[in-house]
Amino acid sequence: MTRTPVIAGNWKMHLTRRKSSALARDVAAHHGHAENRRCVVFPTFVHLDHVRRNLKNSNVVLGAQNCWPKKEGAFTGEISPYMLRDMGVQVVLLGHSERRHVIGEEDALIAEKVKLVLRAKLDVMLCIGETLEEREGNRTFEVLARQLKSLKMVKPGQEGRVSVAYEPVWAIGTGKTATPEMAQSAHAEARSQIEGILGAEAAARMPILYGGSVKAGNAAELLSQPDVDGALVGGAALTIEQFGPILDAASA
Ligand code: 13P
């Protein structure tokens, strides 16, 4: 099974409107209409419209970093996946470790989000990953299995709109990257869990991205692992000087 590599930039709560627009133009120019890789950017909500306009003339996909699992209603401060779709968003990042561990989101809420994002006809990128304590306690696979249960919300026919990002919490923003072997072992385990939930064909087709201190210098080696189908990049996605070579590593 050959899976098209996906390189995604999670811009988190960074950049000004002007800088995110400029970065969008740079990413669009670098990626162009390449077909041997997919490129996704996740700007902060308030920059989505500007970024969308600046991605024109490319096939870079516009993503949002989060949403609320309701179509509309009295949810002050929240944003519906239908509003995101109306804005030109195609994919929503769900369950990022900062939402799980800083904001306190739990699996049940994330599962509801998976359900509504798919119902709104948007794609889902579901983040999973263990903390250092969980890894040291040999609980990595158990944590991945628990977090992947949100995929039970995926209905037949929706599987092709889902991707997973394995981001070990201890590797995010720390400069500590999982070794390619550690990443491969977690990705293979995740794929086998996905198979148990969605079947062999969906599991074989599903892109599983690695995230956590991905840089130009380690991207190619991580991407060479058989079950590593892309990268979800944080810090190194904020300049084209760093992000460009990661995009290139995916199509090398
Ligand atoms: P860093 O690449 O900065 O470690 O962030 C990874 C991440 O959280 C992407 O979602």
PDB file of all heavy atoms in Angstrom, residues 11 14-23 44 47 51:
ATOM      1  N   TRP A  11       0.482  25.885  13.303  1.00  0.00           N
ATOM      2  CA  TRP A  11       1.044  27.200  13.667  1.00  0.00           C
ATOM      3  C   TRP A  11       0.674  27.605  15.089  1.00  0.00           C
ATOM      4  O   TRP A  11       1.072  28.671  15.559  1.00  0.00           O
ATOM      5  CB  TRP A  11       0.588  28.260  12.653  1.00  0.00           C
ATOM      6  CG  TRP A  11       1.068  27.999  11.249  1.00  0.00           C
ATOM      7  CD1 TRP A  11       1.934  26.999  10.840  1.00  0.00           C
ATOM      8  CD2 TRP A  11       0.728  28.718  10.048  1.00  0.00           C
ATOM      9  NE1 TRP A  11       2.141  27.067   9.485  1.00  0.00           N
ATOM     10  CE2 TRP A  11       1.413  28.117   8.961  1.00  0.00           C
ATOM     11  CE3 TRP A  11      -0.095  29.812   9.781  1.00  0.00           C
ATOM     12  CZ2 TRP A  11       1.297  28.573   7.649  1.00  0.00           C
ATOM     13  CZ3 TRP A  11      -0.211  30.282   8.457  1.00  0.00           C
ATOM     14  CH2 TRP A  11       0.490  29.662   7.419  1.00  0.00           C
ATOM     15  N   HIS A  14       0.591  31.323  17.216  1.00  0.00           N
ATOM     16  CA  HIS A  14       1.737  32.113  16.798  1.00  0.00           C
ATOM     17  C   HIS A  14       1.375  33.000  15.618  1.00  0.00           C
ATOM     18  O   HIS A  14       0.380  32.770  14.946  1.00  0.00           O
ATOM     19  CB  HIS A  14       2.894  31.196  16.356  1.00  0.00           C
ATOM     20  CG  HIS A  14       3.537  30.462  17.477  1.00  0.00           C
ATOM     21  ND1 HIS A  14       4.229  31.071  18.491  1.00  0.00           N
ATOM     22  CD2 HIS A  14       3.593  29.133  17.749  1.00  0.00           C
ATOM     23  CE1 HIS A  14       4.694  30.166  19.331  1.00  0.00           C
ATOM     24  NE2 HIS A  14       4.314  28.980  18.910  1.00  0.00           N
ATOM     25  N   LEU A  15       2.221  33.945  15.349  1.00  0.00           N
ATOM     26  CA  LEU A  15       2.201  34.825  14.167  1.00  0.00           C
ATOM     27  C   LEU A  15       1.138  35.938  14.266  1.00  0.00           C
ATOM     28  O   LEU A  15       0.144  35.794  14.976  1.00  0.00           O
ATOM     29  CB  LEU A  15       1.974  34.028  12.861  1.00  0.00           C
ATOM     30  CG  LEU A  15       2.961  32.873  12.605  1.00  0.00           C
ATOM     31  CD1 LEU A  15       2.486  32.046  11.417  1.00  0.00           C
ATOM     32  CD2 LEU A  15       4.370  33.400  12.359  1.00  0.00           C
ATOM     33  N   THR A  16       1.405  37.008  13.543  1.00  0.00           N
ATOM     34  CA  THR A  16       0.410  38.078  13.386  1.00  0.00           C
ATOM     35  C   THR A  16      -0.347  37.789  12.092  1.00  0.00           C
ATOM     36  O   THR A  16       0.047  36.918  11.316  1.00  0.00           O
ATOM     37  CB  THR A  16       1.122  39.434  13.234  1.00  0.00           C
ATOM     38  OG1 THR A  16       1.982  39.337  12.091  1.00  0.00           O
ATOM     39  CG2 THR A  16       1.941  39.783  14.467  1.00  0.00           C
ATOM     40  N   ARG A  17      -1.392  38.571  11.855  1.00  0.00           N
ATOM     41  CA  ARG A  17      -2.152  38.377  10.623  1.00  0.00           C
ATOM     42  C   ARG A  17      -1.241  38.567   9.398  1.00  0.00           C
ATOM     43  O   ARG A  17      -1.270  37.787   8.463  1.00  0.00           O
ATOM     44  CB  ARG A  17      -3.295  39.406  10.603  1.00  0.00           C
ATOM     45  CG  ARG A  17      -4.300  39.144   9.548  1.00  0.00           C
ATOM     46  CD  ARG A  17      -5.430  40.113   9.660  1.00  0.00           C
ATOM     47  NE  ARG A  17      -5.002  41.476   9.383  1.00  0.00           N
ATOM     48  CZ  ARG A  17      -5.805  42.533   9.393  1.00  0.00           C
ATOM     49  NH1 ARG A  17      -7.067  42.395   9.714  1.00  0.00           N
ATOM     50  NH2 ARG A  17      -5.354  43.724   9.112  1.00  0.00           N
ATOM     51  N   ARG A  18      -0.417  39.591   9.464  1.00  0.00           N
ATOM     52  CA  ARG A  18       0.477  39.868   8.339  1.00  0.00           C
ATOM     53  C   ARG A  18       1.489  38.729   8.146  1.00  0.00           C
ATOM     54  O   ARG A  18       1.725  38.273   7.030  1.00  0.00           O
ATOM     55  CB  ARG A  18       1.215  41.185   8.611  1.00  0.00           C
ATOM     56  CG  ARG A  18       2.093  41.644   7.467  1.00  0.00           C
ATOM     57  CD  ARG A  18       2.896  42.863   7.900  1.00  0.00           C
ATOM     58  NE  ARG A  18       2.025  44.002   8.168  1.00  0.00           N
ATOM     59  CZ  ARG A  18       1.894  45.036   7.326  1.00  0.00           C
ATOM     60  NH1 ARG A  18       2.563  45.055   6.208  1.00  0.00           N
ATOM     61  NH2 ARG A  18       1.110  46.030   7.629  1.00  0.00           N
ATOM     62  N   LYS A  19       2.040  38.245   9.278  1.00  0.00           N
ATOM     63  CA  LYS A  19       3.056  37.182   9.147  1.00  0.00           C
ATOM     64  C   LYS A  19       2.444  35.857   8.699  1.00  0.00           C
ATOM     65  O   LYS A  19       3.063  35.101   7.960  1.00  0.00           O
ATOM     66  CB  LYS A  19       3.793  36.988  10.476  1.00  0.00           C
ATOM     67  CG  LYS A  19       4.822  38.080  10.725  1.00  0.00           C
ATOM     68  CD  LYS A  19       5.633  37.814  11.960  1.00  0.00           C
ATOM     69  CE  LYS A  19       6.669  38.911  12.141  1.00  0.00           C
ATOM     70  NZ  LYS A  19       7.120  39.020  13.521  1.00  0.00           N
ATOM     71  N   SER A  20       1.229  35.568   9.162  1.00  0.00           N
ATOM     72  CA  SER A  20       0.634  34.295   8.736  1.00  0.00           C
ATOM     73  C   SER A  20       0.251  34.359   7.262  1.00  0.00           C
ATOM     74  O   SER A  20       0.375  33.365   6.540  1.00  0.00           O
ATOM     75  CB  SER A  20      -0.550  33.894   9.625  1.00  0.00           C
ATOM     76  OG  SER A  20      -1.592  34.804   9.494  1.00  0.00           O
ATOM     77  N   SER A  21      -0.159  35.540   6.795  1.00  0.00           N
ATOM     78  CA  SER A  21      -0.470  35.692   5.362  1.00  0.00           C
ATOM     79  C   SER A  21       0.797  35.501   4.529  1.00  0.00           C
ATOM     80  O   SER A  21       0.784  34.821   3.495  1.00  0.00           O
ATOM     81  CB  SER A  21      -1.063  37.073   5.087  1.00  0.00           C
ATOM     82  OG  SER A  21      -2.285  37.206   5.773  1.00  0.00           O
ATOM     83  N   ALA A  22       1.891  36.091   4.998  1.00  0.00           N
ATOM     84  CA  ALA A  22       3.158  35.973   4.261  1.00  0.00           C
ATOM     85  C   ALA A  22       3.642  34.524   4.258  1.00  0.00           C
ATOM     86  O   ALA A  22       4.096  34.006   3.226  1.00  0.00           O
ATOM     87  CB  ALA A  22       4.216  36.888   4.885  1.00  0.00           C
ATOM     88  N   LEU A  23       3.505  33.860   5.402  1.00  0.00           N
ATOM     89  CA  LEU A  23       3.934  32.455   5.471  1.00  0.00           C
ATOM     90  C   LEU A  23       3.064  31.596   4.553  1.00  0.00           C
ATOM     91  O   LEU A  23       3.563  30.687   3.869  1.00  0.00           O
ATOM     92  CB  LEU A  23       3.870  31.964   6.924  1.00  0.00           C
ATOM     93  CG  LEU A  23       4.300  30.529   7.178  1.00  0.00           C
ATOM     94  CD1 LEU A  23       5.726  30.249   6.682  1.00  0.00           C
ATOM     95  CD2 LEU A  23       4.196  30.185   8.676  1.00  0.00           C
ATOM     96  N   THR A  44      -4.176  29.861  13.372  1.00  0.00           N
ATOM     97  CA  THR A  44      -5.157  30.156  14.414  1.00  0.00           C
ATOM     98  C   THR A  44      -6.467  30.645  13.749  1.00  0.00           C
ATOM     99  O   THR A  44      -6.454  31.160  12.633  1.00  0.00           O
ATOM    100  CB  THR A  44      -4.581  31.209  15.395  1.00  0.00           C
ATOM    101  OG1 THR A  44      -5.518  31.384  16.451  1.00  0.00           O
ATOM    102  CG2 THR A  44      -4.312  32.537  14.733  1.00  0.00           C
ATOM    103  N   HIS A  47      -6.952  33.957  11.822  1.00  0.00           N
ATOM    104  CA  HIS A  47      -6.177  34.194  10.597  1.00  0.00           C
ATOM    105  C   HIS A  47      -6.649  33.328   9.428  1.00  0.00           C
ATOM    106  O   HIS A  47      -6.094  33.405   8.336  1.00  0.00           O
ATOM    107  CB  HIS A  47      -4.683  33.932  10.849  1.00  0.00           C
ATOM    108  CG  HIS A  47      -4.080  34.852  11.855  1.00  0.00           C
ATOM    109  ND1 HIS A  47      -2.896  34.580  12.507  1.00  0.00           N
ATOM    110  CD2 HIS A  47      -4.496  36.060  12.331  1.00  0.00           C
ATOM    111  CE1 HIS A  47      -2.617  35.571  13.337  1.00  0.00           C
ATOM    112  NE2 HIS A  47      -3.572  36.470  13.261  1.00  0.00           N
ATOM    113  N   VAL A  51      -5.297  33.590   5.556  1.00  0.00           N
ATOM    114  CA  VAL A  51      -4.441  32.503   5.075  1.00  0.00           C
ATOM    115  C   VAL A  51      -5.077  31.856   3.849  1.00  0.00           C
ATOM    116  O   VAL A  51      -4.410  31.600   2.849  1.00  0.00           O
ATOM    117  CB  VAL A  51      -4.181  31.485   6.213  1.00  0.00           C
ATOM    118  CG1 VAL A  51      -3.536  30.215   5.679  1.00  0.00           C
ATOM    119  CG2 VAL A  51      -3.293  32.130   7.278  1.00  0.00           C
TER     120      VAL A  51
END
